[in-house]
Amino acid sequence: MSERWVIHLPITAPDLLRARIFARTAARVLVRLNARVEPGGVTVSAEDQQGVRHWVFCDRPLPGGARCALPTDHLSPCSSRARPSGR
């Protein structure tokens, strides 16, 4: 049996964009509280299609072992630090 457990925390949002924004925000807050939070693995799904998941973070590997912390659909170069969205 695995000694790692995964927390599934259903939170609703009115659409995919806002679900991704909320998930990014929640992951960034939680990672400050506990280093075991893996933001790169965060996904969102429609309530009635939970098997169809949409990635929240890009999570591409970067030089030096870091991962990209930007949203999945970013157009700028990958970065290990999130950039302000301007919203």
Side-chain angles (χ1 to χ4, degrees), residues 19-21 23-24 39 42-44 54-58 70-73:
R20 282 181 165 161
I21 291 169
R24 279 195 303 271
V42 174
T43 59
V44 296
H54 302 271
W55 292 102
V56 172
F57 292 99
C58 171
L70 299 179
T72 56
D73 53 359

Side-chain angles (χ1 to χ4, degrees), residues 31-85:
V31 86
R32 292 176 191 254
L33 299 174
N34 188 320
R36 292 181 181 244
V37 173
E38 298 177 20
V42 174
T43 59
V44 296
S45 67
E47 185 174 19
D48 58 348
Q49 294 181 334
Q50 293 183 27
V52 179
R53 296 183 177 219
H54 302 271
W55 292 102
V56 172
F57 292 99
C58 171
D59 202 40
R60 286 187 188 111
L62 298 172
R67 307 290 286 195
C68 180
L70 299 179
T72 56
D73 53 359
H74 70 88
L75 300 175
S76 58
C78 287
S79 173
S80 61
R81 297 186 144 249
R83 295 186 180 110
S85 65

